[in-house]
Amino acid sequence: MQPMPKEYNFTEIERKWQQKWEEMGIYHYDWNDQKRVPYSIDTPPPYPSGELHMGNVLNWTYFDMVARYKRMQGFNVLFPQGWDCHGLGIEIQVEKARDIRKRDVPPDQFRAWCIELVEKYIAIMKEGILKMGASIDWTTEYKTMDPDYWRRTQLSFVLLHKKDYMYRGTHPVNWCPRDETAIADAEVDHIKKEGTLHYIRFQLEGSSEYLLIATSRPEFIPACVAVEVNPKDERYSKYIGRKIAVPLMNREVTIISEESVDPCFGTGVVQICTYGDKEDVKTVIKHKLPVIRLLTESGKISEAGCKYAGLYVNQARAAIVADLTAAGLLEKSEKIQQEVGVCDRCKAQVEILEVKQWFMKTMPLSEAVEKNANEIPWYPDYMKNRLIDWTRALDWDWVVSRQRLFATPIPVWYCNSCGEVIVAQESWVPIDPRMEKPRIDKCPKCGGIEFRGETDVLDTWMDSSITCAVHAGWPDRPDWKHLFPASVHPSGTDIIRTWAYYLMVRHLALFDERPFNSVLINGMVLGADGRKMSKSLKNYAAAPEVLNKNGADATRQWAAGGGATGSDIPYRAQDVEYGRRFLVKLWNAAGFTSNLLADYKPDAKADLDLQSLDKWIISKAENVTKKVTEAFEKCQFNIAIEEVRNFTWHVFCDYYVEAVKDRLYNPNPDLQGQAKKLAAQQTLYEILYRILQLLAPITPHVTEEIYQHMFAQNKEFESLQVSQWPKFNSALVDEQAEKNGDLLVAIIGEVRHDKAEKKLPLNAPIKNLIVYAANNENAKVISSAKGDITGTLKLASIQVLPEKSCEGRQVSSYDVHIKVEY
Ligand SMILES: [Zn+2]
Ligand SMILES: [Zn+2]
């Protein structure tokens, strides 16, 4: 056995093992293994943001603990890693960094800048993920911006088009005027802000009467196509069918009857504009109303806005309010709190525009999504409702086209003569229709030979919502179903409505099969003050700093133990520091143990004379093994770490290691003494090994280092990470032994209390300890463990008296008293 180095140098140890594990190749998924059951993790490909934050640390620690645990359980684990490169986020950063808009430079140049930025960001994040010690199989690394990945995204588009899931149509969509692109419901954030409610007079035709309409968006008056009232509302029902003048607009609309109007909201009279909000969209469809396209794609008022044409929405609002006031049509204005939808990338207020876009038919899949969500386990269970509620609330198909540049091209062309849509054939992809022609001679419909490539691109979620199939090897490996569905889909609470949902609909539509068989949810990381972590709130912790200062193993303990899985977890520096102190304790205990084991030869078959405390800790170790295993099975990482830390610190270090010193230091043991010594050595050895194994998924580096020093030679696993996870052995559970041991450590603890109260050092010698134990059984147990108690407490002598006494200190709730003589 190699002696352990004195100092615990985590920086060196962690870097060393990260390299060695890579060299050993132990994290490679074995594609040819037919024996082991595969276990595949649907690792999220993150958006490269140029910064590894504590949220990433939390996520990757979760994935990694699962991967390491499953590997030790004997599974052939696939832990892949990709990068979700495309998207508005990167485009906006390039625009900001270079102070341009996407149209200012040639598209190729703009894309090249995006790629450059993404590569830089990936390098930073990868370094962080490596530093955390994530056991990723880097041979699987992929980037969604690579043409080889386009191929998969485009193939899925082509296949879904064949299955009639993809269509092109003119429908209202959420529109970000700043980014000038359609966005999906999932990309709209809802925020509360102060607005103004204007009460505006709408004049009834041929009358001096008017109806009052309250609206926070007067700028939409030019797009008013109807006014609606509830037919049960006695104030207004008489006006249904009459004409009413649109203020400032020299035209009239009809007052229509609509039961969904809430008479108590506002004035009970509502203007329908195309489109002020989603309700307008519903009403327009239901009542077959005309559409006035008021906004342009850049968020300005169109020609339809007459004198307001060319103004931005805010300018138009001010102008219209001024004109209404001048015309005496504005009765009053009041401040209100309102909810508005904003673009989740750039925070611009989202508008609704009717434009021609590509859509994926998702509404018909809603039932299947709900059914599959219900059929699989979620950790924690209640999180499945997030997906189900989201699915139920959806009322529009998924708009998958974007008017951006840095994304996977939509593999489609249009015939210049007849407009026929030419979708790429499966063998054409990857292909960029912005640069390449369709591989056909002429239009199949009209024979035309000129085509226009689609310039719109795909939503980035179209890339990342096929990961379960892609990770499994689709479409290239004929045996990809071996790894499909993924064993676990890990997701954050913030992306259930996007990633989990899109994965479900894409895979259900493509393969008629759900993409994953379980879901593991992580919460968000909060600042120590419980608020959202942000630099401006001064509660921000930069992950690289935390990792450099404390090491991965300490930081991972925070991630594992910071809170229940799925709940939001505050980042508390003291949690990481506690984690580090624990590692130092473990390191020192291992070093001390290795000294005690200097002359020990592991022999699993030796007949051992196990003493009370040996049996006690062996039994407790089995129970801890059972609890930790159950916790890992249910992804309850906080329970796993607490169980094993408490056992290590408060059972192994505080009591057992101390108690067996006497047996081990015995310079000239007789035969009986030798047997007792061997029992202590073997127990120490195996219990420490058990601790290392139980900790291995959480703190892989320190456990590996100790394993290599003390156990590798005998246990013969190349790495602790590929050792067999300990199986709970009920035969070693011994309730009586645990009770006996608990009594002994309670006595030891009581003596320590006595010393502490007398302000004596813990190693102060004791002349004599008298233990009064009236109960005969207790007296026997104590007498048989005299040696261990003596050794632990440095007693010159110990007397066990089978009599009742109220002298001295009572030991816990036992009918046992002690008297300590110094
Ligand atoms: Zn935006
Ligand atoms: Zn044609």
Side-chain angles (χ1 to χ4, degrees):
M1 187 176 306
Q2 299 174 32
M4 291 277 297
K6 271 223 144 43
E7 205 190 328
Y8 167 53
N9 183 338
F10 62 80
T11 311
E12 201 177 283
I13 290 169
E14 292 182 356
R15 197 183 303 131
K16 176 176 79 184
W17 286 110
Q18 283 157 15
Q19 271 167 16
K20 285 207 173 180
W21 286 326
E22 203 52 43
E23 284 160 25
M24 289 176 182
I26 53 173
Y27 302 142
H28 292 179
Y29 174 74
D30 186 347
W31 293 91
N32 300 315
D33 189 339
Q34 296 297 321
K35 275 198 219 126
R36 286 180 299 163
V37 179
Y39 188 90
S40 66
I41 297 169
D42 181 33
T43 324
Y47 277 126
S49 69
E51 187 181 19
L52 189 84
H53 51 77
M54 292 310 289
N56 298 130
V57 172
L58 179 73
N59 300 167
W60 266 261
T61 302
Y62 275 21
F63 318 151
D64 190 54
M65 288 187 292
V66 172
R68 290 179 186 277
Y69 168 72
K70 291 291 177 181
R71 234 176 253 122
M72 289 175 76
Q73 281 278 9
F75 289 89
N76 187 11
V77 172
L78 174 70
F79 185 7
Q81 188 62 64
W83 304 96
D84 189 11
C85 309
H86 290 136
L88 271 178
I90 293 291
E91 288 196 18
I92 292 170
Q93 290 185 57
V94 167
E95 287 180 335
K96 280 190 183 153
R98 298 186 183 262
D99 196 24
I100 50 154
R101 298 301 291 265
K102 64 176 176 176
R103 293 211 184 88
D104 299 346
V105 293
D108 274 358
Q109 176 65 72
F110 189 75
R111 274 199 300 273
W113 282 338
C114 290
I115 290 169
E116 195 182 297
L117 186 67
V118 166
E119 293 286 5
K120 190 176 114 192
Y121 282 178
I122 287 177
I124 296 169
M125 289 187 83
K126 189 171 172 179
E127 196 194 324
I129 292 175
L130 287 167
K131 204 171 251 181
M132 287 177 50
S135 58
I136 286 162
D137 178 352
W138 288 104
T139 62
T140 62
E141 190 176 6
Y142 62 91
K143 295 167 188 161
T144 60
M145 66 183 178
D146 292 343
D148 189 57
Y149 197 95
W150 285 11
R151 176 172 63 95
R152 299 160 205 263
T153 305
Q154 290 182 328
L155 180 62
S156 74
F157 178 93
V158 171
L159 294 174
L160 287 177
H161 186 265
K162 267 192 185 158
K163 292 182 86 172
D164 206 23
Y165 277 105
M166 289 292 168
Y167 66 94
R168 192 166 181 247
T170 304
H171 297 284
V173 294
N174 300 300
W175 188 269
C176 174
R178 191 244 165 241
D179 298 323
E180 297 189 29
T181 181
I183 57 175
D185 279 343
E187 292 161 284
V188 179
D189 285 343
H190 295 277
I191 59 160
K192 287 219 162 32
K193 70 174 212 179
E194 189 174 80
T196 308
L197 196 61
H198 302 279
Y199 289 80
I200 300 165
R201 293 172 182 157
F202 279 53
Q203 212 86 40
L204 281 156
E205 184 205 25
S207 149
S208 57
E209 274 184 283
Y210 60 84
L211 298 185
L212 209 53
I213 289 181
T215 176
S216 61
R217 305 213 64 184
E219 65 273 24
F220 272 90
I221 284 177
C224 176
V225 292
V227 165
E228 59 179 14
V229 296
N230 192 314
K232 295 204 183 85
D233 189 338
E234 283 168 8
R235 294 171 297 175
Y236 308 121
S237 56
K238 54 182 178 270
Y239 301 122
I240 290 169
R242 282 185 62 178
K243 295 276 181 193
I244 191 163
V246 179
L248 309 175
M249 298 309 312
N250 207 17
R251 63 182 176 85
E252 286 160 344
V253 295
T254 308
I255 298 170
I256 60 173
S257 160
E258 174 52 55
E259 277 156 13
S260 66
V261 173
D262 179 0
C264 305
F265 185 79
T267 60
V269 188
V270 179
Q271 65 165 352
I272 301 302
C273 305
T274 53
Y275 293 100
D277 58 28
K278 272 193 157 184
E279 284 308 307
D280 289 342
V281 177
K282 281 187 201 157
T283 311
V284 166
I285 294 169
K286 182 172 169 189
H287 294 276
K288 298 193 175 65
L289 297 169
V291 173
I292 298 173
R293 204 167 175 274
L294 183 70
L295 294 185
T296 67
E297 292 169 6
S298 55
K300 286 182 182 174
I301 304 294
S302 70
E303 293 305 316
C306 302
K307 69 176 275 208
Y308 307 104
L311 296 179
Y312 280 106
V313 166
N314 289 346
Q315 298 169 322
R317 184 180 309 155
I320 287 177
V321 168
D323 289 348
L324 288 169
T325 310
L329 295 173
L330 185 67
E331 184 147 312
K332 62 173 176 172
S333 301
E334 59 192 30
K335 295 277 174 231
I336 49 155
Q337 281 298 315
Q338 59 179 164
E339 197 185 81
V340 298
V342 297
C343 168
D344 73 348
R345 294 276 156 206
C346 76
K347 308 300 169 202
Q349 184 163 349
V350 169
E351 300 290 356
I352 295 171
L353 245 58
E354 197 167 88
V355 279
K356 205 162 208 184
Q357 298 288 333
W358 280 95
F359 294 87
M360 176 173 167
K361 261 182 219 167
T362 47
M363 299 310 294
L365 292 164
S366 292
E367 225 169 274
V369 171
E370 185 167 339
K371 178 172 170 280
N372 279 283
N374 274 315
E375 281 172 0
I376 55 172
W378 288 63
Y379 306 105
D381 182 62
Y382 65 88
M383 281 293 172
K384 75 169 150 221
N385 295 324
R386 297 255 183 129
L387 179 63
I388 292 169
D389 292 348
W390 171 253
T391 308
R392 285 182 183 170
L394 284 172
D395 42 16
W396 288 355
D397 280 339
W398 176 14
V399 54
V400 298
S401 47
R402 296 288 182 278
Q403 290 64 52
R404 298 298 297 185
L405 287 169
F406 186 50
T408 304
I410 302 178
V412 162
W413 298 258
Y414 307 98
C415 170
N416 275 354
S417 316
C418 73
E420 176 73 352
V421 176
I422 316 286
V423 175
Q425 287 167 26
E426 290 169 40
S427 60
W428 300 0
V429 296
I431 194 163
D432 188 346
R434 298 170 296 187
M435 329 280 267
E436 294 169 76
K437 289 190 164 59
R439 294 175 194 162
I440 48 172
D441 303 330
K442 54 184 198 313
C443 167
K445 197 169 162 197
C446 76
I449 51 164
E450 298 281 322
F451 304 96
R452 177 173 60 80
E454 175 62 270
T455 53
D456 285 1
V457 291
L458 288 169
D459 179 3
T460 179
W461 288 108
M462 282 288 284
D463 297 337
S464 55
S465 56
I466 49 171
T467 52
C468 294
V470 169
H471 292 159
W474 176 85
D476 304 322
R477 294 190 65 94
D479 62 347
W480 69 275
K481 285 278 176 106
H482 185 59
L483 274 166
F484 186 88
S487 310
V488 66
H489 164 67
S491 188
T493 48
D494 56 334
I495 51 169
I496 293 174
R497 67 179 188 174
T498 46
W499 200 35
Y501 172 75
Y502 289 143
L503 278 168
M504 271 288 196
V505 290
R506 289 298 291 299
H507 290 88
L508 285 171
L510 274 167
F511 310 115
D512 301 310
E513 214 177 322
R514 66 168 164 254
F516 40 78
N517 281 334
S518 69
V519 184
L520 165 60
I521 299 292
N522 64 268
M524 300 295 105
V525 174
L526 308 173
D529 53 5
R531 290 189 291 176
K532 200 174 171 214
M533 204 184 245
S534 106
K535 283 174 185 160
S536 61
L537 290 173
K538 294 199 172 27
N539 62 359
Y540 186 83
E545 276 170 36
V546 175
L547 287 167
N548 286 340
K549 188 175 164 214
N550 303 283
D553 284 345
T555 309
R556 292 166 63 108
Q557 287 178 71
W558 157 76
T565 300
S567 63
D568 289 347
I569 292 179
Y571 171 73
R572 285 176 297 240
Q574 62 265 38
D575 286 3
V576 180
E577 278 152 26
Y578 179 77
R580 204 175 63 185
R581 282 207 305 282
F582 170 72
L583 296 175
V584 171
K585 185 83 187 171
L586 174 67
W587 183 266
N588 291 340
F592 187 60
T593 305
S594 74
N595 292 336
L596 296 175
L597 297 177
D599 61 347
Y600 166 67
K601 297 260 176 318
D603 178 5
K605 292 190 192 82
D607 219 356
L608 299 173
D609 185 10
L610 294 173
Q611 302 298 298
S612 291
L613 283 179
D614 303 332
K615 291 181 199 157
W616 169 75
I617 198 164
I618 288 169
S619 179
K620 282 199 184 280
E622 285 309 318
N623 283 326
V624 168
T625 302
K626 185 166 180 242
K627 282 182 197 159
V628 172
T629 306
E630 281 168 2
F632 272 121
E633 286 296 327
K634 293 182 201 151
C635 297
Q636 292 170 335
F637 310 115
N638 57 326
I639 295 178
I641 180 73
E642 283 320 314
E643 285 290 339
V644 64
R645 269 202 304 217
N646 283 335
F647 176 77
T648 306
W649 204 315
H650 304 304
V651 177
F652 184 68
C653 296
D654 282 356
Y655 288 102
Y656 188 72
V657 174
E658 297 292 325
V660 295
K661 275 189 212 163
D662 190 57
R663 280 193 262 163
L664 295 170
Y665 284 155
N666 187 348
N668 295 306
D670 53 13
L671 267 182
Q672 204 193 0
Q674 278 174 20
K676 284 183 179 177
K677 177 177 175 179
L678 186 63
Q681 285 187 318
Q682 185 128 322
T683 307
L684 267 179
Y685 188 74
E686 291 300 332
I687 298 295
L688 180 58
Y689 181 58
R690 179 65 57 90
I691 288 170
L692 296 183
Q693 285 205 298
L694 298 180
L695 277 172
I698 308 170
T699 58
H701 308 86
V702 71
T703 49
E704 182 79 282
E705 180 73 10
I706 298 172
Y707 169 80
Q708 297 290 347
H709 278 290
M710 297 179 63
F711 299 91
Q713 237 181 340
N714 174 47
K715 300 283 182 189
E716 293 179 344
F717 297 105
E718 183 184 16
S719 158
L720 182 65
Q721 291 297 322
V722 292
S723 68
Q724 197 74 47
W725 184 260
K727 226 175 147 95
F728 168 65
N729 183 353
S730 60
L732 294 177
V733 174
D734 183 339
E735 269 183 53
Q736 192 55 48
E738 288 202 39
K739 273 190 197 158
N740 295 348
D742 285 344
L743 168 61
L744 297 176
V745 302
I747 292 171
I748 294 167
E750 203 50 51
V751 174
R752 287 177 178 166
H753 278 151
D754 191 74
K755 283 184 175 175
E757 276 173 23
K758 297 196 165 80
K759 299 212 167 28
L760 291 164
L762 215 53
N763 60 359
I766 293 168
K767 237 188 271 163
N768 188 34
L769 174 69
I770 305 168
V771 185
Y772 302 98
N775 176 315
N776 203 24
E777 284 303 310
N778 284 349
K780 260 207 257 168
V781 169
I782 300 163
S783 296
S784 73
K786 271 183 184 172
D788 285 351
I789 299 175
T790 307
T792 314
L793 296 169
K794 297 193 188 317
L795 307 177
S797 76
I798 177 168
Q799 283 172 281
V800 182
L801 303 177
E803 61 195 48
K804 199 164 171 63
S805 165
C806 291
E807 248 188 284
R809 307 172 66 100
Q810 189 184 357
V811 174
S812 183
S813 57
Y814 296 96
D815 190 11
V816 173
H817 286 70
I818 58 165
K819 211 171 126 192
V820 193
E821 297 170 356
Y822 296 96

